[in-house]
Amino acid sequence: MSVLTWLAALRVVPALGANLAHQTLPLADIVPALWRPLSFPRHLKAYALTVLTMLSHMFVIPFMSPVLAANGLQKSFIHKTLKQLNIRWRQGVALGTRINHI
């Protein structure tokens, strides 16, 4: 199956070196184009939303363990669950999929 995929990719995917035949642009032309998205207000709002989302997810992590412990989730249950997940992961059946190990 892998060989068929590679053969199909060789026929379908264009050569990656095709862009090297073109003339390279000087850095003075490239840098303004890289900074241009920062001049659009909608882009700045999207970047701010992305940063806010990432930070908010990171701020939750330190509070997960105390909340689970305060809600009566005992360590034995957590260790048992993690052990089962680790066993399933090693067997390749995590997330409902089976992985054939070589």
Side-chain angles (χ1 to χ4, degrees), residues 20-83:
L20 298 177
H22 301 294
Q23 181 180 352
T24 58
L25 296 173
L27 190 59
D29 293 340
I30 296 173
V31 173
L34 292 174
W35 284 102
R36 194 171 302 127
L38 294 176
S39 65
F40 299 120
R42 284 190 172 198
H43 287 200
L44 290 175
K45 288 178 185 176
Y47 296 140
L49 180 63
T50 302
V51 169
L52 183 66
T53 303
M54 294 301 297
L55 287 177
S56 65
H57 283 88
M58 289 181 207
F59 286 143
V60 170
I61 293 171
F63 299 104
M64 291 173 73
S65 180
V67 168
L68 289 174
N71 285 335
L73 204 58
Q74 298 178 0
K75 284 186 178 181
S76 61
F77 174 77
I78 295 172
H79 289 297
K80 180 181 172 185
T81 305
L82 290 176
K83 186 176 180 181

